[in-house]
Structures are given as C-alpha cells and as structure tokens.
Amino acid sequence: PRGHQWVQVDLGAPAEIHAIAIWHFHRERRVYFAVVVQLSDDPEFKQGVVTVFNNDDANKLGFGAGKDPCYIASHEGRVIPVAAVTARYARFHSHGNTSGASTDYVEAEIWGVPAK
C-alpha cells in the first residue's frame, strides 16, 4: 500500500501496556515517515486516544506535529517505552519511506499485563 496506511491490533481485553516494538521492511536501509503509534479502549479511535510515538514532524497525518526522532528501520525493530497506559487497541500509522510511498509493516509486539 502507498500513502497513509494503518494497522490495528485488538488485544482482546484491556491491558496495562509498558512497551511496544514495531518492525518495518529492513532488508535495505530505509527511514519511515509519519510513524504514529496510538492506544485506545475505543475500536474506532474517536475517544480516549493516547499517542505514545509520533515522528510526523510535518503533521501529514493530522494528529499534530510529532517530536520523536526518525530512525533507520533494522532487524532489531523500534522499541517504544510506554508509561503504563491501559488500552485494548493499538494503531500503527505510517506514510511512506525514503525508498518510496509504501508503509511496509512487518511485525508489531505489545508488552504489558492484563488490566486490573
């Protein structure tokens, strides 16, 4: 896919999230643009949305200008620390990379414990 794309993960129940790791295509060196990671209990992401990573400094996606740094995708992925946010759903947004307009999500991991 090209342009703004997103992937959503349903954890099945609310969880206290402490870290997230994402991998984009990494066979060649690429920087992915407008990467935004959000958490919510709302499957439509219309309320209670917490943004835990945003490197969209040009606000291409409309979530506000991000201050997180861009990074080169690698086999190690990108680990995003999360300050114990309770949520059921995660959305991973991107908008192109240094090699083209694709978003190329390969894997996402969400680390946490069941919410109390």
Side-chain angles (χ1 to χ4, degrees), residues 33-112:
F33 304 122
V35 176
V36 176
V37 179
Q38 298 179 315
L39 302 171
S40 182
D41 278 326
D42 176 15
E44 301 298 321
F45 278 73
K46 292 184 178 178
Q47 59 186 359
V49 177
V50 177
T51 299
V52 296
F53 186 87
N54 181 347
N55 74 1
D56 182 8
D57 62 350
N59 195 24
K60 284 183 181 180
L61 304 181
F63 301 122
K67 302 211 182 304
D68 290 305
C70 290
Y71 59 93
I72 298 171
S74 77
H75 67 282
E76 295 175 344
R78 175 68 175 191
V79 176
I80 301 164
V82 178
V85 173
T86 298
R88 176 174 170 167
Y89 303 95
R91 271 195 191 173
F92 305 93
H93 300 265
S94 290
H95 191 290
N97 65 76
T98 51
S99 292
S102 61
T103 57
D104 307 320
Y105 276 102
V106 174
E107 184 176 341
E109 292 182 6
I110 301 169
W111 299 317

